[in-house]
Amino acid sequence: MTYTDLAQGIESITPANGLKEKLELAKKENRPLIIKFGMDPTAPDLHLGHAVGLKKIRQFLDAGHEIHLIVGNFTALVGDPSGRNSTRPPLTPEEVQRNAETYVSQLSKIFDTSKIHIHYNNDWLGQMSFADVLKLLSKATLSQMMQREDFRNRYENNVPVALHELIYPLIQGYDSVAIKSDIEFGGRDQLLNCLFGKSLQESLGMDGQIVLTMPLLCGMDGHIKMSKSKGNYIGLTEHPNDMYGKTMSIPDFLIPEWVELTTDWTPAEKADAVADFKNGTTNPMEIKKKIAFNIVKQYHSEADAIAAEAFFYKQVQQKGFDTKEFKEVLWADVAPTGSIGLVDLGAKLLEQSKSNIRRLIEGGAVSINGEKTGDINLTLSNDGSEIQLKLGKRGFFTLK
């Protein structure tokens, strides 16, 4: 695989000529490059945003290089502050471990995990003495940390910045020292964290890694990057129907970005789809259907994509309440006491925030037994009869 193939789609290479030099070094020394990517298991799902970088990493694996996954079972206890406007709530070691186990299994959606090296950074960070920590802290200054926009904004707005957040870039950077990485992958928001790995390596007499960043996929809401903590994501292991339906909900203006970053179409196919959208020659909904079909096909199968497309037509496009497929839900599972507020019930059933459910109700997108309701204070009670509930365009439930 050529340099051009490997560099295609990468947003930034630091330093600019670093990838060429590393590839030449690997050829000269007749060895594979050590490629590092890290994931803090702060939530159980990998999503389409993660897949943008993972699919590029797969190209390096196919080219014969070593892929090293760092599962941040130590750093997750701190929580990456990148892009945050508040301190992350702490996770328990048990939560971190459960999430870590699901990460590794979900990676099989992208590549053969038997061919990559998997490390847990508690193996070295958890063994450090306090003297080791002080030595590590001496490698950076407060002014360096405060150059980060997220820290600076919080400080200037009197939003607390905990000391353990300040040292996060250093402890993530130490992972690069531990595995002697040549290249580290990260999102745009991870650049400074990754550069600390390079500087730490060089301070210890090692060859510094280069940093490759990938574009950040905007979430379904169209406002911010896809994020587990924001709930605007599509998980790699979600049910095909949910994966297809969520993709159909993206704003039209995201179509070019999603064509480029989520599909596995050829460059020519991507260019044609974007041109059709920009020229107005194809209805945006039809383009989104193709994107949704392709995404389900990638992470499930073509048969699943066909079924998900048919399900979407029946649930969303086909008119008539009696044509819909309702998911049966037991009162005991959602309201053991026999009554529950409509907002709370919607949040449980759709796994969305209560504010999103309130917007659905106030927007006339919720109905009970075929009748719309706009009452956000409504309470439902179990009187022994079935209740048919419609939440938004795709949520159809029967309470029994």
Side-chain angles (χ1 to χ4, degrees):
M1 196 170 292
T2 67
Y3 165 79
T4 301
D5 293 327
L6 292 174
Q8 185 176 17
I10 293 175
E11 185 173 77
S12 72
I13 302 173
T14 307
N17 62 343
L19 181 55
K20 283 185 176 179
E21 291 182 351
K22 289 293 186 181
L23 290 171
E24 290 170 358
L25 177 65
K27 185 176 181 180
K28 178 181 177 181
E29 297 181 353
N30 191 30
R31 68 172 179 88
L33 294 172
I34 296 176
I35 315 294
K36 170 195 171 188
F37 73 105
M39 291 183 172
D40 279 356
T42 51
D45 291 326
L46 294 181
H47 54 65
L48 294 181
H50 293 123
V52 175
L54 293 173
K55 288 192 283 189
K56 174 55 66 174
I57 291 170
R58 183 178 61 198
Q59 288 187 322
F60 280 81
L61 178 64
D62 293 342
H65 299 292
E66 285 188 11
I67 307 302
H68 292 251
L69 164 64
I70 309 296
V71 178
N73 61 336
F74 184 93
T75 41
L77 297 174
V78 176
D80 185 3
S82 299
R84 301 283 297 185
N85 57 15
S86 62
T87 302
R88 285 183 183 270
L91 296 178
T92 66
E94 291 75 23
E95 289 173 318
V96 170
Q97 184 58 36
R98 283 197 302 271
N99 293 344
E101 290 170 358
T102 63
Y103 272 24
V104 175
S105 65
Q106 289 173 45
L107 283 173
S108 62
K109 292 282 187 180
I110 308 292
F111 42 58
D112 184 351
T113 54
S114 68
K115 295 181 178 179
I116 69 173
H117 302 263
I118 300 174
H119 311 272
Y120 294 82
N121 64 9
N122 186 63
D123 290 348
W124 48 82
L125 293 173
Q127 311 310 311
M128 281 186 164
S129 67
F130 193 62
D132 294 328
V133 174
L134 291 177
K135 184 177 179 180
L136 181 61
L137 292 178
S138 72
K139 302 295 183 181
T141 66
L142 180 60
S143 61
Q144 283 179 298
M145 295 300 180
M146 295 308 294
Q147 288 175 14
R148 293 173 56 115
E149 184 178 4
D150 40 21
F151 287 154
R152 188 170 63 252
N153 286 345
R154 287 164 62 182
Y155 180 77
E156 291 173 353
N157 289 286
N158 295 315
V159 177
V161 180
L163 290 179
H164 74 285
E165 295 181 276
L166 287 175
I167 69 170
Y168 182 93
L170 277 172
I171 57 178
Q172 178 183 311
Y174 191 80
D175 294 342
S176 299
V177 173
I179 68 165
K180 301 179 175 62
S181 53
D182 295 298
I183 296 175
E184 179 167 9
F185 267 90
R188 181 192 316 134
D189 57 342
Q190 288 288 315
L191 179 59
L192 289 176
N193 286 349
C194 297
L195 288 176
F196 265 104
K198 173 180 171 64
S199 64
L200 277 177
Q201 287 176 319
E202 292 173 343
S203 72
L204 296 170
M206 302 168 59
D207 289 334
Q209 66 184 17
I210 67 166
V211 180
L212 308 181
T213 67
M214 298 299 295
L216 298 177
L217 179 67
C218 192
M220 299 180 307
D221 53 9
H223 300 302
I224 55 177
K225 75 166 186 172
M226 186 170 284
S227 168
K228 293 167 291 188
S229 60
K230 299 300 181 182
N232 62 350
Y233 71 99
I234 299 176
L236 299 187
T237 58
E238 287 197 40
H239 191 280
N241 293 344
D242 294 329
M243 189 175 275
Y244 190 102
K246 286 184 176 182
T247 301
M248 293 301 298
S249 73
I250 67 172
D252 290 352
F253 66 81
L254 283 184
I255 286 176
E257 178 179 330
W258 277 54
V259 165
E260 183 60 37
L261 299 182
T262 69
T263 71
D264 63 356
W265 297 335
T266 66
E269 290 171 332
K270 291 181 179 181
D272 287 344
V274 172
D276 287 345
F277 170 71
K278 291 183 176 180
N279 297 334
T281 56
T282 303
N283 187 316
M285 175 173 277
E286 296 306 312
I287 301 175
K288 285 195 280 189
K289 285 181 180 179
K290 292 178 180 179
I291 296 171
F293 188 96
N294 180 262
I295 288 173
V296 175
K297 181 181 175 182
Q298 285 183 71
Y299 300 105
H300 292 283
S301 70
E302 184 168 8
D304 287 324
I306 293 171
E309 186 173 58
F311 182 81
F312 180 81
Y313 173 76
K314 182 172 69 172
Q315 295 294 95
V316 178
Q317 294 184 284
Q318 191 174 28
K319 304 301 181 182
F321 211 59
D322 57 344
T323 67
K324 307 306 180 185
E325 182 177 317
F326 286 78
K327 180 179 180 180
E328 292 188 353
V329 179
L330 298 179
W331 274 101
D333 292 334
V334 293
T337 62
S339 64
I340 187 171
L342 181 57
V343 172
D344 291 332
L345 177 60
K348 284 187 177 183
L349 294 176
L350 293 185
E351 297 181 350
Q352 293 183 10
S353 67
K354 293 181 182 180
S355 59
N356 284 345
I357 302 303
R358 290 190 191 97
R359 283 193 288 270
L360 287 178
I361 297 172
E362 292 171 340
V366 174
S367 62
I368 300 171
N369 293 332
E371 298 293 329
K372 288 185 180 180
T373 179
D375 185 358
I376 61 173
N377 297 312
L378 181 64
T379 295
L380 299 179
S381 298
N382 181 10
D383 62 3
S385 60
E386 291 187 356
I387 296 177
Q388 286 192 323
L389 181 65
K390 174 182 176 291
L391 298 168
K393 292 182 178 180
R394 299 183 295 108
F396 294 87
F397 304 90
T398 297
L399 285 175
K400 303 181 70 173

